[in-house]
Amino acid sequence: MTDHPYKKAEDRAFWSRSVARGFDAGAVADRPPFSLSRRDRFMSAGSCFGANVRRYLDAWGLDYVVTERPHPQWPESKENAFYEAYSARYGNVYTARQMLQLLQRATGEFSPTEDHWVARDGTFIDPYRPGLAHRASSLHELRALTAQHLRAVKQAVETATVLVFTLGLTEAWVSAADGAVFPACPGTVAGEYDLERHLFVNFSVGEVAADLDRLIRLLRAINPAIRVIVSVSPVPMVATASGRHVMVATAYSKTVLRVAADEFAHRHPDVAYFPGFEMVLWGHSGESPFTGDLRTVREPVIAAVMRGFRAAYIDDGQEVAGPERAAESPALSEAVAAAIDDDCEEMMADELLPVDR
Amino acid sequence: MAVVGNSHVLTLFEGYPLIARELPGVELTFIARGQHKIGHAVVSRAGVEWPRPGGDLIDRVGRLDATHVFVMWRGSQANIRGLLQQGPAFDVAVPHEPDRTIEPDVELIPCSAVEAIIRGTLDADDELLALIGRAQRGGAMVWLMGPPPALPEEAVRERLGEESHFAGRLHQVGVSAGDVEIVPESVRVRLRTILLGVYRDFAAQHGAGFVPPPAWVADAGGLLERQYWGKDITHASPAYGAVYLRELVEVAGA
């Protein structure tokens, strides 16, 4: 038998030795192009699954940057759970384009034409945060609250040394006027759908990759020291507007995001790809990684993924806390649990979509 | 007509003698819910019962033979939550100031959040709801009343130690009345504006009317005119009570 590359390959190169048995969550991620420590300051953004990041970083005692939180004098002014689950109240950011535009708005590079909706009760809705519990009473207030939020977003990027960004979807609804991406289809969570003004898009690999490249340039412009850990959410789509079966649409979306994320990481030395997607889908044996709805990732699976995250990037020799420890922060756990379960805009859309056939 | 409710009723009760001669033939009953030294006070042309501890306020209101019942209930929500500064400076944007510049270094609390907090104190108040219902079932037109305008900062500082709630708060944080940070006057005026709006909406939703204090008891900045300052932060003077009472009598007679 001749010599060949597989002969000297590590166990992690073989499915039988590293997945089918002997799975080690800490061995899945590639060697990162940078190392992190307990001195790093983390921020996170992305789809529902990304909301778990804060919960675990907090439980581990790491520095999670929060620049927008309830005022101590008015604690009841806190927002819906998934707006309080991240560094600022941007809620879930499902697409690369949405994240790019969030930063462009925070730096003043982009001002969406469709910047408000008026609800039937006369309140003013932020189309880019339609699930906010506390709506503005006037356009003046909406603009002031939005400006405040965008300052908090920029401050988070300025303060953080690491952004953990989880890509969730390729499908989005955009304004026909300027391509501004809405987190949910107008008319679902809030607003009114208008065939002329609201367009459906399904981003390609090239588009996602281009958006990610623009995103990293903008991040560096705000904070040259920031590094990015990009991942792909394993959570299937709630619904598709592509006309295809939701399973097929999900496969397309996740595949596009997975490829774009990998290429993104290879192009930039300050970007690492974290394989949470793979770890959820294949890094276990026996029962499904999802709960009964086949979408919600089970807590032990999340815990394993986050152990892998810590082992890959923040191996500080300390004992890795499990979900039990994470649950010691009940308010936050509740917020995040709600965020990843039923309260995000995508799920709101599912619940609010009328069945009209 | 009857003026019922909390300790603010005492202000109107004390203001009554100042305008009693203007009100010939007006039958007035004051009932203040028993708290602290106030007890239950009932004054009418037939005489004064004061103090009269015990008894159930709602039951008393039910037995009133009044065509108009004016209810002063709570009203200190904005003061309690928005008088002493905790944490970063904050502000609220009220709809009637659409051109006002909001400073970027001040945290803006959504107006609807403040409304919800104040509204929650009313919605959850079974006693208030029972009181309104009882008065309405008795055939009276019910009106909610509003608290007096905010005091200027100098007046607040002078009075901070006089009320047990605020004295307790100061003691808790270990700050003297002279050093504690007070929420800016303009913000306190806006908070009261929001509060009055909540009271107006709440009243309307419960088939009641709303009679705020006359606008002219406040200065151009919305603060309580000096002549109406009371002995503490929450309550205004008998002169204010007289002015407000006159307003109520006009509403009842209209």
Side-chain angles (χ1 to χ4, degrees):
Chain A
M1 191 179 290
T2 60
D3 197 15
H4 55 74
Y6 296 101
K7 267 199 163 177
K8 293 172 185 169
E10 299 173 50
D11 283 351
R12 70 193 293 267
F14 294 88
W15 192 272
S16 62
R17 295 178 218 167
S18 66
V19 182
R21 64 175 189 275
F23 177 71
D24 175 8
V28 183
D30 293 332
R31 183 183 299 278
F34 47 78
S35 60
L36 304 177
S37 74
R38 297 188 73 84
R39 288 190 300 277
D40 275 294
R41 297 180 298 276
F42 294 81
M43 75 174 284
S44 63
S47 71
C48 305
F49 188 72
N52 292 297
V53 172
R54 177 178 178 182
R55 184 163 53 125
Y56 277 82
L57 294 182
D58 185 68
W60 295 337
L62 295 173
D63 190 352
Y64 187 88
V65 174
V66 180
T67 55
E68 203 173 16
R69 53 163 62 88
H71 191 283
Q73 199 149 347
W74 302 92
E76 301 94 331
S77 67
K78 76 176 179 186
E79 263 304 329
N80 283 328
F82 64 97
Y83 288 109
E84 300 288 0
Y86 297 99
S87 296
R89 288 173 174 157
Y90 32 76
N92 293 327
V93 177
Y94 297 101
T95 61
R97 180 75 55 87
Q98 189 188 344
M99 185 67 190
L100 173 66
Q101 290 181 356
L102 176 65
L103 292 194
Q104 288 175 325
R105 292 168 64 213
T107 54
E109 292 178 33
F110 179 51
S111 297
T113 305
E114 196 165 340
D115 67 350
H116 72 278
W117 295 331
V118 183
R120 286 179 187 156
D121 63 0
T123 55
F124 289 75
I125 300 163
D126 179 351
Y128 308 97
R129 298 189 296 163
L132 287 177
H134 304 302
R135 290 179 174 175
S137 305
S138 66
L139 188 55
H140 175 245
E141 186 187 24
L142 176 67
R143 288 186 169 144
L145 288 169
T146 302
Q148 174 170 282
H149 164 63
L150 294 175
R151 282 195 298 274
V153 171
K154 186 162 181 272
Q155 190 192 348
V157 175
E158 288 167 342
T159 308
T161 59
V162 187
L163 164 65
V164 183
F165 181 44
T166 306
L167 291 160
L169 299 175
T170 53
E171 292 189 12
W173 290 88
V174 303
S175 169
D178 54 10
V181 177
F182 304 109
C185 178
T188 55
V189 177
E192 290 183 11
Y193 174 67
D194 182 329
L195 189 64
E196 300 294 320
R197 291 190 296 128
H198 304 132
L199 307 176
F200 172 73
V201 292
N202 198 0
F203 296 116
S204 66
V205 174
E207 288 170 319
V208 176
D211 286 338
L212 289 172
D213 284 344
R214 291 165 72 193
L215 174 65
I216 190 75
R217 283 199 293 275
L218 190 48
L219 284 166
R220 288 178 192 142
I222 300 170
N223 178 358
I226 200 165
R227 288 149 297 174
V228 176
I229 296 173
V230 65
S231 64
V232 174
S233 168
V235 178
M237 299 169 74
V238 165
T240 178
S242 64
R244 312 176 84 180
H245 191 287
V246 67
M247 190 187 288
V248 178
T250 294
Y252 169 83
S253 187
K254 300 301 177 184
T255 309
V256 163
L257 296 175
R258 179 62 191 83
V259 171
D262 217 80
E263 290 183 350
F264 177 50
H266 279 105
R267 277 196 302 276
H268 302 282
D270 43 3
V271 176
Y273 172 72
F274 175 64
F277 175 79
E278 292 86 337
M279 292 165 73
V280 168
L281 292 186
W282 302 306
H284 56 89
S285 58
E287 59 185 322
S288 165
F290 301 109
T291 60
D293 63 3
L294 300 184
R295 285 192 75 250
T296 306
V297 182
R298 289 189 300 111
E299 186 65 38
V301 177
I302 296 171
V305 170
M306 292 308 294
R307 278 198 298 275
F309 179 93
R310 180 161 178 169
Y313 305 112
I314 353 170
D315 191 2
D316 50 8
Q318 297 192 16
E319 190 181 342
V320 177
E324 300 81 10
R325 168 76 195 283
E328 286 176 13
S329 177
L332 191 57
S333 287
E334 182 191 336
V336 177
I340 60 179
D341 284 347
D342 293 331
D343 286 345
C344 67
E345 284 133 339
E346 202 188 1
M347 281 304 290
M348 279 186 186
D350 186 37
E351 289 165 3
L352 297 171
L353 279 171
V355 178
D356 184 14
R357 298 188 182 93
Chain B
M1 59 178 275
V3 184
V4 305
N6 60 14
S7 54
H8 287 281
V9 172
L10 181 62
T11 306
L12 277 74
F13 171 72
E14 290 176 343
Y16 169 70
L18 304 179
I19 57 168
R21 281 185 298 181
E22 299 174 25
L23 310 173
V26 176
E27 188 82 15
L28 271 170
T29 301
F30 296 87
I31 306 176
R33 183 170 61 171
Q35 54 180 23
H36 306 300
K37 61 183 180 183
I38 295 171
H40 292 282
V42 179
V43 62
S44 70
R45 288 164 62 85
V48 179
E49 302 172 58
W50 174 267
R52 183 170 169 171
D56 178 69
L57 176 65
I58 295 164
D59 183 53
R60 281 167 161 267
V61 168
R63 285 188 276 113
L64 281 172
D65 182 23
T67 54
H68 296 269
V69 174
F70 296 91
V71 181
M72 183 63 229
W73 206 257
R74 296 181 181 264
S76 297
Q77 299 97 322
N79 256 356
I80 289 170
R81 297 295 298 273
L83 183 75
L84 305 183
Q85 182 81 52
Q86 300 168 45
F90 69 89
D91 200 351
V92 286
V94 286
H96 71 271
E97 296 178 329
D99 301 320
R100 184 171 68 87
T101 301
I102 294 165
E103 299 301 328
D105 56 343
V106 170
E107 188 169 331
L108 193 64
I109 311 295
C111 183
S112 60
V114 176
E115 285 173 343
I117 291 166
I118 296 171
R119 177 67 193 233
T121 65
L122 301 180
D123 286 338
D125 195 325
D126 293 338
E127 194 177 7
L128 172 61
L129 297 172
L131 192 154
I132 293 172
R134 188 67 179 268
Q136 288 172 334
R137 280 197 302 279
M141 174 67 197
V142 176
W143 305 81
L144 286 193
M145 300 163 62
L151 281 176
E153 182 171 332
E154 56 165 314
V156 170
R157 286 198 191 281
E158 285 170 7
R159 288 158 177 76
L160 261 179
E162 303 299 316
E163 272 174 271
S164 57
H165 170 78
F166 295 110
R169 289 271 298 279
L170 291 180
H171 181 73
Q172 226 173 17
V173 294
V175 184
S176 73
D179 294 333
V180 72
E181 200 172 347
I182 308 285
V183 172
E185 293 169 351
S186 59
V187 177
R188 288 189 286 118
V189 168
R190 285 183 206 106
L191 289 174
R192 177 175 176 270
T193 301
I194 293 171
L195 183 144
L196 294 183
V198 171
Y199 271 59
R200 185 185 302 277
D201 291 346
F202 178 86
Q205 284 169 20
H206 290 277
F210 177 65
V211 190
W216 44 268
V217 299
D219 63 19
L223 297 164
L224 187 65
E225 288 278 13
R226 179 180 282 271
Q227 72 218 64
Y228 302 123
W229 293 1
K231 290 176 183 168
D232 59 42
I233 293 169
T234 305
H235 305 96
S237 69
Y240 165 89
V243 166
Y244 202 176
L245 185 58
R246 190 182 284 133
E247 180 87 355
L248 302 186
V249 171
E250 281 182 23
V251 168

